[in-house]
């Protein structure tokens, strides 16, 4: 491999081009001017589109396209008397749509490379759909039920389904190419630990087919006298503390630790710093002499890794939670609209000033977000950064505000945050920036406090329904709250979210610690 520097791009750092056995360089595309390192650090702002979700969504869309078209043409054209005819046609439609999906799956047409190559993919789709329709007609003929099916329906369905799949795959090819260019179909990864182990790992990944990662660079606490500033063509971007800052400022999906399993003490020191990040963490295992059972490993291409931790609520879990949040929050705003209007009127009549209060808080991955609340304090006494928590009989709180805080009705505008996308219905509550437990900031009071920011904060949470809400005048109160938040993150499910939502009104009736 040519040992010139790697090329920074929006997707990461592309390794130097290879040379042939004769030493002659292969033809290369014209290189764009190299952006500064600061640009690499700012890169990757667009969210990852997980391949498993993209493939699943395409599979679902194509199944529905074929099935809906088949049944719609039947309803529009074929004369139908009684429910039995509906059942026969519906059964034929579902069998054909399922068979078509299975054949496309067998032809590898639901893999990311197939989405970008339109002509070759659509040729296979024509072949698959033709096989399905031919097979269906053959079954109808040999089963002596061919007279029960309209030939015009079959021909119309065959043609319109091909036309619809043509348009869908053409649009998909353009979108897939754009997503690749934006780096949204590849996981952005960094190597933690340089030296010979990292170089061997990078070479193994580059030699492996079908990997879904783009390496951004190397992070290592050791100085340049012990670790080269350039490892296998990839630059050293900083130390481990700088890696945490890097992950806060740009999209990072995967941390690959290249240390040997035997370096237990150093591994524990690294993981203590890195586990607070919302990323997958993998330990390289390809050079280890100590071997475990095959199912112990996960693979990137054909390179083995040991799973240390996974990003919480990822892939389809993320989709399910997103849909749950949007649907329930929208319905809540519709149902609670009159109550929110009445609260707004009461606030206006009680004291001068705006109805809503916006406060900066830390959201997912420590991102600063604006959280909405009904104003509960006198305008001249509001505390934007939460330097002083509200206590019992706090003179800053208005009469209406005292009732709103005790019942948590002041939190209702946060449903707008959920619809906007920077809060979830259920999750760790977002805390004010200067909130303290006794005399210490929360991050100083609890080791690993920021691990609760690996998911979006919520309007309500597991800690809140268990009584850990309101004032945190002792170290134990914030410690118990964080423990409950981490339990929620590790045990999340849609049913768990639903349970917490249903239990929230009962927890509010107690009014514990809410002033």
């Amino acid at each position: 491999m040519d040992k010139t520097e790697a090329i920074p791009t929006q997707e990461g750092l592309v390794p130097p081009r290879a040379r042939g056995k004769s030493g002659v360089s292969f033809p290369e595309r014209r290189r764009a001017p190299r952006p500064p390192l600061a640009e690499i650090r700012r890169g990757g702002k667009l969210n990852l589109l997980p391949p498993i979700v993209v493939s699943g969504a395409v599979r679902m869309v194509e199944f529905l396209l074929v099935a809906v078209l088949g049944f719609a043409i039947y309803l529009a054209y074929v004369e139908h008397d009684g429910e039995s005819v509906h059942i026969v046609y519906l059964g034929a439609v579902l069998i054909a749509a399922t068979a078509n999906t299975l054949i496309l799956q067998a032809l590898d047409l639901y893999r990311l490379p197939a989405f970008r190559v339109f002509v070759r993919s659509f040729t296979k789709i024509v072949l698959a759909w033709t096989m399905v329709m031919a097979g269906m007609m053959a079954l109808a003929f040999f089963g002596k039920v061919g007279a029960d099916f309209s030939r015009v329906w079959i021909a119309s369905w065959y043609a319109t389904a091909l036309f619809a799949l043509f348009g869908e795959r053409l649009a998909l090819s353009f979108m897939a190419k754009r997503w690749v260019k934006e780096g949204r179909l590849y996981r952005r990864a960094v190597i933690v630990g340089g030296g010979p182990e990292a170089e061997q790992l990078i070479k193994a990944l580059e030699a492996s087919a079908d990997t879904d990662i783009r390496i951004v660079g190397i992070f290592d606490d050791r100085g340049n006298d012990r670790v080269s500033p350039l490892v296998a063509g990839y630059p050293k971007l900083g130390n481990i503390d700088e890696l945490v800052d890097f992950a806060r400022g740009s999209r990072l999906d995967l941390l690959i630790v290249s240390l040997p399993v035997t370096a237990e003490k150093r591994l524990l020191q690294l993981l203590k710093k890195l586990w607070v990040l919302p990323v997958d963490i993998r330990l390289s295992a390809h050079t280890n002499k100590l071997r475990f059972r095959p199912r112990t490993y996960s693979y990137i291409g054909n390179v083995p890794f040991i799973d240390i931790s996974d990003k919480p609520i990822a892939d389809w879990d993320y989709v399910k939670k997103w849909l749950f949040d949007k649907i329930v929050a929208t319905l809540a705003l519709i149902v609670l609209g009159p109550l929110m209007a009445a609260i707004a009127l009461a606030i206006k009549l009680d004291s001068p000033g705006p109805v809503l209060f916006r406060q900066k808080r830390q959201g997912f991955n420590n991102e600063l977000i604006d959280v909405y609340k009904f104003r509960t304090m006198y305008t001249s006494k509001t505390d934007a950064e939460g330097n002083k928590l509200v206590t019992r009989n706090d003179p800053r709180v208005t009469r209406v505000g005292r009732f709103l805080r005790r019942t948590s009705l002041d939190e209702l505008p946060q449903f707008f945050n959920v619809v906007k996308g920077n809060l979830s219905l259920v999750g760790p509550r977002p805390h004010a920036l200067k909130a303290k437990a006794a005399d210490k900031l929360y991050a100083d009071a609890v080791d690993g406090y920021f691990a609760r920011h690996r998911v979006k904060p919520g309007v309500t949470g597991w800690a809140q329904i268990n009584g850990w809400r309101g004032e945190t005048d002792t170290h134990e109160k914030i410690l118990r709250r964080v423990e409950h938040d981490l339990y929620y993150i590790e045990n999340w499910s849609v049913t768990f979210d639903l349970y917490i939502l249903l239990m929230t009104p009962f927890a509010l009736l107690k009014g514990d610690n809410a002033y």
Side-chain angles (χ1 to χ4, degrees):
M1 179 179 287
D2 184 4
K3 293 298 182 182
T4 56
E5 242 186 295
I7 308 165
T9 69
Q10 188 174 5
E11 298 175 14
L13 291 165
V14 180
R17 58 194 174 92
R19 294 183 183 270
K21 292 182 179 179
S22 62
V24 178
S25 300
F26 293 121
E28 64 176 355
R29 295 180 182 177
R30 184 178 179 182
R31 295 180 179 177
R34 181 180 302 163
L37 183 59
E39 187 173 327
I40 300 173
R41 292 178 182 272
R42 291 193 300 267
K45 288 294 185 182
L46 295 174
N47 291 333
L48 172 71
L49 295 174
I52 188 173
V53 174
V54 175
S55 298
V58 172
R59 192 181 290 111
M60 190 183 305
V61 166
E62 293 185 346
F63 176 87
L64 290 174
L65 267 179
V66 171
V68 170
L69 280 172
F71 201 66
I73 293 171
Y74 154 72
L75 291 176
Y77 175 78
V78 180
E79 295 183 2
H80 36 272
D81 297 322
E83 292 184 2
S84 60
V85 181
H86 286 331
I87 294 173
V88 170
Y89 272 86
L90 180 60
V93 164
L94 294 177
I95 291 171
T98 302
N100 184 66
T101 302
L102 292 175
I103 294 174
L104 296 184
Q105 178 73 39
L107 294 174
D108 289 334
L109 291 178
Y110 291 121
R111 296 168 65 88
L112 295 183
F115 297 158
R116 302 197 302 268
V117 184
F118 170 71
V119 175
R120 188 185 306 168
S121 295
F122 187 69
T123 301
K124 292 181 180 180
I125 287 174
V126 173
L127 174 64
W129 184 230
T130 302
M131 288 172 58
V132 169
M133 297 304 286
M136 192 174 75
M137 287 188 290
L139 284 174
F141 176 78
F142 289 111
K144 298 182 179 180
V145 292
D148 295 339
F149 292 98
S150 166
R151 294 176 179 82
V152 175
W153 169 70
I154 293 175
S156 301
W157 185 23
Y158 174 78
T160 53
L162 278 184
F163 181 78
L165 290 171
F166 174 89
E168 178 260 340
R169 282 283 172 154
L170 183 62
L172 179 62
S173 68
F174 285 117
M175 288 190 294
K177 290 174 183 175
R178 187 184 71 190
W179 292 336
V180 169
K181 186 177 180 181
E182 294 171 345
R184 302 187 69 183
L185 295 180
Y186 298 101
R187 289 185 290 172
R188 282 168 55 90
V190 298
I191 308 292
V192 181
E197 296 89 355
E199 186 166 359
Q200 292 178 40
L201 172 62
I202 291 171
K203 288 180 178 178
L205 288 170
E206 290 177 351
S208 179
D210 200 25
T211 60
D212 67 336
I213 66 171
R214 288 293 181 268
I215 298 173
V216 177
I218 315 291
F219 286 86
D220 198 307
D221 275 335
R222 294 170 291 181
N224 291 343
D225 57 330
R226 297 183 60 193
V227 176
S228 171
L230 198 66
V231 179
Y234 295 92
K236 179 183 172 185
L237 299 180
N239 57 34
I240 304 305
D241 290 330
E242 290 172 317
L243 168 56
V244 174
D245 294 335
F246 181 91
R248 301 295 191 201
S250 65
R251 197 193 92 215
L252 190 59
D253 307 301
L254 177 66
L255 298 180
I256 300 175
V257 181
S258 66
L259 302 179
V261 177
T262 52
E264 181 179 349
K265 184 176 180 181
R266 193 166 169 221
L267 279 172
L268 290 175
Q269 290 173 343
L270 284 175
L271 295 176
K272 187 177 180 181
K273 292 182 179 181
L274 300 178
W275 79 284
V276 300
L277 297 174
V279 297
D280 295 327
I281 301 179
R282 301 290 181 262
L283 177 61
S284 171
H286 78 292
T287 60
N288 291 334
K289 294 181 180 180
L290 180 63
R291 289 296 176 184
F292 303 97
R293 292 185 177 184
R295 62 185 179 184
T296 305
Y297 302 104
S298 62
Y299 290 84
I300 298 176
N302 57 13
V303 182
F305 294 87
I306 297 174
D307 294 354
I308 301 298
S309 70
D310 293 322
K311 179 181 179 180
I313 314 180
D315 299 337
W316 282 110
D317 286 342
Y318 178 85
V319 175
K320 288 186 287 186
K321 188 170 178 62
W322 185 89
L323 289 172
F324 181 81
D325 284 345
K326 299 298 183 185
I327 293 170
V328 176
T330 302
L331 292 175
L333 286 172
I334 294 172
V335 172
L336 297 173
L339 174 61
M340 294 174 69
I343 292 172
L345 179 61
I347 292 171
K348 273 293 187 184
L349 294 174
D350 183 50
S351 62
V355 169
L356 294 179
F357 171 66
R358 288 195 306 176
Q359 189 176 54
K360 291 284 184 185
R361 299 193 179 187
Q362 287 183 318
F364 173 70
N365 201 21
N366 287 20
E367 179 185 5
L368 287 182
I369 59 174
D370 286 320
V371 173
Y372 304 123
K373 299 180 68 174
F374 281 124
R375 181 176 59 82
T376 58
M377 294 185 181
Y378 293 102
T379 305
S380 60
K381 298 179 180 180
T382 54
D383 183 4
E385 293 188 332
N387 287 288
K388 182 182 178 183
L389 294 180
V390 177
T391 57
R392 188 185 297 274
N393 299 320
D394 196 312
R396 298 174 297 168
V397 180
T398 65
R399 289 174 301 171
V400 171
R402 208 172 302 283
F403 170 76
L404 294 179
R405 297 183 73 91
R406 187 169 60 250
T407 57
S408 289
L409 291 174
D410 60 320
E411 314 283 1
L412 289 182
Q414 288 169 28
F415 285 120
F416 289 109
N417 283 108
V418 177
V419 174
K420 186 178 177 182
N422 50 26
L423 280 190
S424 181
L425 283 172
V426 181
R429 286 290 297 148
H431 293 151
L433 301 181
K434 297 296 180 65
K436 296 178 182 178
D439 294 326
K440 288 186 177 181
L441 293 173
Y442 287 167
D444 297 328
V446 181
D447 189 28
Y449 168 80
F450 290 122
R452 67 194 297 277
H453 295 163
R454 290 182 295 158
V455 299
K456 284 183 184 179
V459 177
T460 185
W462 180 238
Q464 283 62 48
I465 69 168
N466 282 282
W468 300 107
R469 56 190 286 259
E471 187 180 11
T472 53
D473 53 344
T474 67
H475 175 263
E476 183 187 4
K477 286 184 178 180
I478 186 59
L479 184 61
R480 296 285 88 80
R481 188 182 294 188
V482 172
E483 285 177 352
H484 280 74
D485 291 338
L486 297 181
Y487 177 87
Y488 166 79
I489 292 171
E490 296 300 325
N491 295 276
W492 175 87
S493 68
V494 172
T495 53
F496 195 15
D497 272 6
L498 186 59
Y499 172 78
I500 292 171
L501 278 180
L502 294 175
M503 293 302 296
T504 296
F506 298 102
L508 296 180
L509 291 175
K510 296 179 181 179
D512 296 337
N513 300 323
Y515 310 130

